[in-house]
Amino acid sequence: MIITMLLSFVLIGAVLWWFYSRGNATSLNPVWMIFVVVVSVIVVFSSGLRPEKFAVQNELITEPLGPLSYEDKMRYLEDQLKQSPNDAELWFEIGQGYLLNGELNNANICFGYAIRLTEEPTANQYAAKATTQYYLHSQIMSDEVEELLKKALVLDEYNQAALTLIASDHFVTFRYQKAINAWQKILDSERVDVDRVTIINSINEAKQLMHARRN
């Protein structure tokens, strides 16, 4: 909850800075601005765009491991890691757990180790690392984040985690058509693990905001 609140304030600050830094303050309709900020926050944090939603689904974290709690699952994975400290898959799985729990610093460290310990890093590894970097740095699409996303999409042009992050960044900076294009590409992949309802809802929200902005 605290992380969500902090990210909400970061989002609002980023939106205000984006407009004022481009000299749009004098022509901006205050009512429209308030409307867009509120709707953007609601969409980002209630329709599947929260940081933990970028975590690639991992059964060791998301599926029940007997009667164990999240903490016990993580402890189980960490015990496994102590026995095999160079196991890239374990580092990635633990990073997924941290990301699902909103512990971005720990997730970032784990994904870094996973990439370094993998002879040929995967698209999911690069996308996960990009996600943690993006949110750790106040939703800034830095050169490092862009490079990680580029590597992910070279390996898998329909990588859901990478495309969702790209769509989210376009959305919060009012590039609605580009956000729609990225979400549509996820739908076009026709992969069974795609949450089509959430993505279609996000596309419809972007279309409504784009229409409101034109008016």
Side-chain angles (χ1 to χ4, degrees), residues 1-184:
M1 178 63 69
I2 294 175
I3 291 175
T4 298
M5 291 175 63
L6 289 174
L7 287 174
S8 297
F9 287 121
V10 168
L11 173 61
I12 293 172
V15 168
L16 292 173
W17 175 86
W18 187 82
F19 267 100
Y20 278 87
S21 67
R22 287 162 173 74
N24 292 328
T26 58
S27 62
L28 184 62
N29 184 321
V31 175
W32 181 88
M33 180 62 193
I34 293 171
F35 169 76
V36 170
V37 169
V38 171
V39 173
S40 296
V41 170
I42 292 173
V43 171
V44 169
F45 295 104
S46 68
S47 66
L49 297 182
R50 297 185 300 278
E52 61 268 25
K53 289 296 183 180
F54 290 97
V56 181
Q57 292 300 304
N58 187 292
E59 291 184 358
L60 282 175
I61 295 296
T62 59
E63 295 298 324
L65 186 60
L68 299 184
S69 64
Y70 166 82
E71 290 77 14
D72 288 334
K73 293 178 190 179
M74 291 297 288
R75 192 175 299 112
Y76 168 81
L77 291 174
E78 288 167 355
D79 287 343
Q80 295 295 309
L81 185 63
K82 289 178 183 178
Q83 300 176 26
S84 304
N86 294 322
D87 190 324
E89 290 187 9
L90 281 174
W91 279 108
F92 185 71
E93 290 163 2
I94 293 171
Q96 290 291 84
Y98 283 132
L99 183 55
L100 286 166
N101 202 44
E103 299 178 57
L104 299 177
N105 276 305
N106 289 334
N108 189 50
I109 292 171
C110 290
F111 293 141
Y113 276 115
I115 290 173
R116 287 196 292 273
L117 292 170
T118 304
E119 185 175 348
E120 296 182 0
T122 67
N124 284 340
Q125 288 176 334
Y126 285 130
K129 177 73 171 176
T131 298
T132 54
Q133 286 288 323
Y134 178 79
Y135 281 97
L136 277 171
H137 296 93
S138 303
Q139 293 175 274
I140 299 297
M141 189 63 73
S142 65
D143 291 342
E144 181 179 2
V145 173
E146 289 184 347
E147 182 62 24
L148 288 166
L149 290 173
K150 181 180 179 180
K151 289 179 178 179
L153 293 174
V154 165
L155 293 171
D156 176 10
E157 65 174 314
Y158 294 106
N159 184 268
Q160 185 176 349
L163 289 173
T164 304
L165 180 57
I166 290 170
S168 177
D169 182 67
H170 286 321
F171 183 87
V172 299
T173 51
F174 306 112
R175 294 170 292 175
Y176 298 123
Q177 187 57 59
K178 289 186 177 181
I180 291 170
N181 293 345
W183 279 318
Q184 186 60 53

